[in-house]
Amino acid sequence: MKQLKRTKISEALKLNTFGKEINVKGWVRTRRGNKNVSFVALNDGSTIQNIQIVIDNEKFGESFLKPITTGACINVNGLLVESQGQGQSVEIQAAEIEIFGTADPASYPLQKKGHSLEFLREIAYLRPRTNTFGAVFRIRHHMAYAIHKYFNDRGFYYFHTPLITASDAEGAGAMFEVTTLDLNNPPRTEDGKIDYSQDFFGRQTNLTVSGQLEGELGAMALGAIYTFGPTFRAENSNTPRHLAEFWMIEPEVAFNDINDNMDLAEDFLKYLIRYALDNCREDIEFLAKMYDNELIDRLNFVVDNNFIRLTYAEGIKILEESGEKFEFPVHWGTDLQSEHERYLVEKHFKCPVILTDYPKEIKSFYMKQNDDGKTVRAMDVLFPKIGEIIGGSEREADYDKLMNRVKELGMNAEPIWWYIETRKFGTAPHAGFGLGFERLMLFVTGMTNIRDVIPFPRTPNNAEF
């Protein structure tokens, strides 16, 4: 077979150099035709669109063509021609074909029919080959790139925080333990407890739930940093919005207060969604058509509207006076549920909302305390359809106030002594937030289950693939 430089299908579909010989490689989506001619829809993952390969059956012979079935992988040299059929402007008349790999129709799970998302989760090793997941994972790439571009262009430094840690940033306790000890026979101290001094790190360690605490240290030296990496929560949550392993983006900025933090969050989200609309249009249009015909309107809704800012107290008052029947009752001091957040965004204000100044009892120890003694300078960004997409705060910069809060909560200060110490050495106002990457992906793709926006989801009782 003649060696030609491969052309990606995304590029081949844009060409108008008719009569020129080109090479494409990819996986067969469908093959149809009659005894004289076969039409193969070929896809290589570079675009949602297939390119049509027109095959003269007599030229290649029935026995050669028989293994070219859905799922097979082929290498094609052929002439680029104007398409006579509907739905595409170009096609390739095959001159030479090499079969890289076959896919037995009796056992290949992705035949030409609709498959449920639940079924596709069971074959996550093949689902990227479907139109839906090809689109989702291409968008995921573009969003990751856009995140790095946004921060790089604004003078932030990408800061790598540890995945293995001895501290619990959230105070939540739901962490995965990391150990090299023999679980069947761990060493024990005299009082019968596990002797972690004999473990690899000489102490108890876990997978991180957040890079925030270490990120703050970076900001207090470099000015503005962001983390973007995997985080882990050992919560037994089987909801469509929770994963045990997910990716977080966490900017931290020295000298920013809560208002700067809100400005950054709004600008960041609008940039990402605008980027998706500009660079992932074909994939977004496909997902809108297949799953959510309001998707594009909702993306434009965020880009086109200023985010309303109001205090938690104001939000509670609106909810209490709404006359709405909520599943979870709402009053001052309650942690808002998704139904409350969505009511504010979708029904009351009809635009994205940033809630601030939450009761300190329902927020983390590191948030800056307000002068009222009751609230902290927290902020949550609320979006249509999913509720909270960003959570953040101005951080407590005062050593005594931070220590008092740690004691109030009965926390063990020893694992985070280094974090508290920074308040002794050149402390300064600073603020930051966390954006769950998969929550962003849910919003941008219109998918409804978080397991469908990450290639290999990790959930309770599931660590397959």
Side-chain angles (χ1 to χ4, degrees), residues 69-72 102-111 113 115 119 123 125-126 129:
T69 57
T70 296
T102 60
D104 177 16
S107 58
Y108 183 59
L110 292 175
Q111 291 304 318
K113 61 176 184 176
H115 297 287
F119 169 72
I123 55 163
Y125 68 109
L126 288 172
R129 291 197 202 175

Side-chain angles (χ1 to χ4, degrees), residues 247-317:
W247 288 64
M248 283 274 282
I249 302 101
E250 296 177 297
E252 290 288 334
V253 189
F255 317 119
N256 268 14
D257 64 13
I258 187 72
N259 294 308
D260 301 317
N261 208 29
M262 290 190 280
D263 292 343
L264 178 64
E266 180 170 347
D267 188 61
F268 180 48
L269 286 168
K270 285 184 172 178
Y271 175 92
L272 295 179
I273 291 162
R274 206 175 289 117
Y275 191 94
L277 287 166
D278 290 346
N279 295 277
C280 313
R281 193 77 191 199
E282 209 171 45
D283 287 324
I284 287 172
E285 284 175 351
F286 170 80
L287 293 171
K289 179 179 157 197
M290 294 298 293
Y291 295 100
D292 183 351
N293 57 17
E294 296 175 354
L295 174 60
I296 292 171
D297 287 343
R298 207 160 48 247
L299 296 176
N300 284 319
F301 168 93
V302 169
V303 171
D304 295 340
N305 283 292
N306 290 327
F307 295 11
I308 289 280
R309 302 178 185 188
L310 68 155
T311 65
Y312 168 91
E314 291 167 327
I316 291 290
K317 189 165 185 282

Side-chain angles (χ1 to χ4, degrees), residues 90-101:
V90 303
E91 60 190 25
I92 295 172
Q93 290 179 346
E96 298 177 290
I97 301 174
E98 178 184 4
I99 300 172
F100 283 147

Side-chain angles (χ1 to χ4, degrees), residues 94-283:
E96 298 177 290
I97 301 174
E98 178 184 4
I99 300 172
F100 283 147
T102 60
D104 177 16
S107 58
Y108 183 59
L110 292 175
Q111 291 304 318
K112 193 197 170 190
K113 61 176 184 176
H115 297 287
S116 74
L117 296 174
E118 290 79 6
F119 169 72
L120 292 174
R121 277 175 224 135
E122 294 171 12
I123 55 163
Y125 68 109
L126 288 172
R127 69 178 182 167
R129 291 197 202 175
T130 65
N131 284 334
T132 293
F133 288 95
V136 168
F137 298 143
R138 279 190 294 271
I139 293 170
R140 189 177 168 106
H141 156 78
H142 283 293
M143 289 294 87
Y145 174 77
I147 286 160
H148 286 298
K149 179 169 172 54
Y150 177 87
F151 287 122
N152 180 72
D153 291 353
R154 286 155 184 78
F156 284 66
Y157 298 104
Y158 182 29
F159 195 67
H160 294 116
T161 56
L163 297 186
I164 299 172
T165 176
S167 68
D168 176 355
E170 295 294 314
M175 303 181 81
F176 290 102
E177 193 171 326
V178 175
T179 183
T180 57
L181 296 177
D182 179 357
L183 296 182
N184 295 313
N185 186 27
R188 298 193 178 272
T189 58
E190 287 180 7
D191 57 3
K193 293 181 178 173
I194 293 175
D195 184 2
Y196 285 103
S197 69
Q198 296 188 47
D199 207 346
F200 185 89
F201 293 107
R203 63 191 302 176
Q204 190 172 4
T205 53
N206 308 284
L207 293 177
T208 186
V209 297
S210 166
Q212 179 203 315
L213 301 190
E214 293 92 347
E216 285 185 48
L217 312 188
M220 296 301 280
L222 300 172
I225 66 93
Y226 70 104
T227 75
F228 184 7
T231 52
F232 308 86
R233 304 274 168 98
E235 294 169 356
N236 193 12
S237 295
N238 281 290
T239 77
R241 298 175 74 234
H242 287 90
L243 290 167
E245 176 186 289
F246 57 98
W247 288 64
M248 283 274 282
I249 302 101
E250 296 177 297
E252 290 288 334
V253 189
F255 317 119
N256 268 14
D257 64 13
I258 187 72
N259 294 308
D260 301 317
N261 208 29
M262 290 190 280
D263 292 343
L264 178 64
E266 180 170 347
D267 188 61
F268 180 48
L269 286 168
K270 285 184 172 178
Y271 175 92
L272 295 179
I273 291 162
R274 206 175 289 117
Y275 191 94
L277 287 166
D278 290 346
N279 295 277
C280 313
R281 193 77 191 199
E282 209 171 45
D283 287 324

Side-chain angles (χ1 to χ4, degrees), residues 285-419:
E285 284 175 351
F286 170 80
L287 293 171
K289 179 179 157 197
M290 294 298 293
Y291 295 100
D292 183 351
N293 57 17
E294 296 175 354
L295 174 60
I296 292 171
D297 287 343
R298 207 160 48 247
L299 296 176
N300 284 319
F301 168 93
V302 169
V303 171
D304 295 340
N305 283 292
N306 290 327
F307 295 11
I308 289 280
R309 302 178 185 188
L310 68 155
T311 65
Y312 168 91
E314 291 167 327
I316 291 290
K317 189 165 185 282
I318 290 166
L319 293 166
E320 286 178 330
E321 295 174 356
S322 67
E324 193 87 2
K325 287 271 185 287
F326 294 112
E327 183 186 347
F328 296 93
V330 63
H331 54 82
W332 168 269
T334 54
D335 207 354
L336 296 186
Q337 302 295 319
S338 181
E339 59 171 340
H340 308 135
E341 296 165 342
R342 290 182 60 183
Y343 175 84
L344 292 171
V345 173
E346 295 167 19
K347 295 188 177 175
H348 188 82
F349 288 108
K350 296 186 169 57
C351 66
V353 170
I354 308 181
L355 276 186
T356 63
D357 301 303
Y358 281 77
K360 68 178 183 180
E361 283 75 23
I362 60 172
K363 288 296 181 181
S364 296
F365 77 98
Y366 49 71
M367 297 190 176
K368 184 169 182 63
Q369 296 166 51
N370 284 319
D371 294 339
D372 61 12
K374 294 195 304 180
T375 59
V376 289
R377 289 187 198 170
M379 58 158 232
D380 285 348
V381 182
L382 314 180
F383 263 23
K385 204 163 184 191
I386 60 172
E388 182 201 332
I389 192 166
I390 274 180
S393 72
E394 187 175 337
R395 314 309 190 188
E396 183 56 76
D398 183 282
Y399 175 84
D400 292 328
K401 285 184 179 176
L402 188 64
M403 275 307 296
N404 287 338
R405 191 77 186 110
V406 167
K407 286 171 188 167
E408 259 179 50
L409 292 168
M411 290 174 60
N412 178 11
E414 192 277 325
I416 52 167
W417 65 269
W418 43 270
Y419 177 77

